[in-house]
Amino acid sequence: MRLAARLVVAAVLVAAVLGLCVHYGGTYDDNWPHPTGDQLRDEYDAYEGERVLLVGSVQSVDRDTIVIHITDSADEVAAELEIHGVDESVAPGGTVQVYGVLEPDRTMTPEETVVVDRDASAFGYKLATSIVGVLLAVGYFGRHWTANPKTLAIEPRRAETTETGDDG
């Protein structure tokens, strides 16, 4: 394939991906079936008695009850909920997803609880292991493949040959 054709195809694909990203960002809140932090802050009563999925940071833990903060779009605390019957191990600073019915007194008994981060240090651990994994993958790729800027192609590296001579 000629260089000009490759550049056109690459530009079209990049434009398509960017367009999909913009579309996703613009329609995300409209298509999300559960209340956001902004909606909980402004109209909590409208969601009482409904099944909702909420993501919040754990503020306190007392046996099987946790208190979580739900944040709004400005990253401010929009709602504080008390979740009863949590059987997962989580510490303050952790993040949980809770699915259940909202109750009138800003409480919830979850049908399902998923711990995203067990404590505040879990995010750093996930980030560090991801960075190490990416570096290993890039290193492995770079060891076996090379980019040819003239043809805009990725090509296998040529095997290095060593010459052995007889000094005899």
Side-chain angles (χ1 to χ4, degrees):
M1 189 182 286
R2 292 181 313 165
L3 179 61
R6 286 183 186 203
L7 288 174
V8 168
V9 168
V12 167
L13 290 175
V14 167
V17 167
L18 290 176
L20 287 172
C21 290
V22 169
H23 173 72
Y24 178 80
T27 61
Y28 179 79
D29 286 341
D30 296 336
N31 293 323
W32 183 248
H34 304 286
T36 62
D38 295 324
Q39 292 167 328
L40 278 180
R41 181 192 59 231
D42 298 338
E43 49 198 42
Y44 182 88
D45 298 340
Y47 297 100
E48 287 178 1
E50 290 193 29
R51 293 185 194 286
V52 296
L53 172 67
L54 301 173
V55 179
S57 60
V58 178
Q59 300 305 306
S60 65
V61 178
D62 183 25
R63 292 187 205 91
D64 67 345
T65 300
I66 62 173
V67 174
I68 64 171
H69 283 174
I70 310 297
T71 57
D72 59 12
S73 58
D75 219 19
E76 302 281 331
V77 176
E80 181 177 277
L81 295 174
E82 196 171 290
I83 313 297
H84 300 286
V86 176
D87 55 358
E88 298 284 331
S89 172
V90 65
T95 304
V96 294
Q97 294 179 352
V98 185
Y99 180 74
V101 178
L102 272 183
E103 297 168 4
D105 52 351
R106 294 197 179 255
T107 62
M108 176 189 266
T109 302
E111 294 176 20
E112 176 106 21
T113 304
V114 176
V115 176
V116 178
D117 294 327
R118 295 228 178 269
D119 56 25
S121 67
F123 177 78
Y125 173 76
K126 287 187 214 179
L127 182 63
T129 54
S130 295
I131 289 171
V132 168
V134 166
L135 291 175
L136 287 172
V138 167
Y140 183 80
F141 182 83
R143 182 170 171 84
H144 295 284
W145 296 89
T146 185
N148 185 341
K150 291 179 183 175
T151 61
L152 289 179
I154 305 292
E155 300 171 349
R157 287 193 183 270
R158 298 182 199 272
E160 293 182 21
T161 58
T162 59
E163 294 182 26
T164 58
D166 289 333
D167 290 338

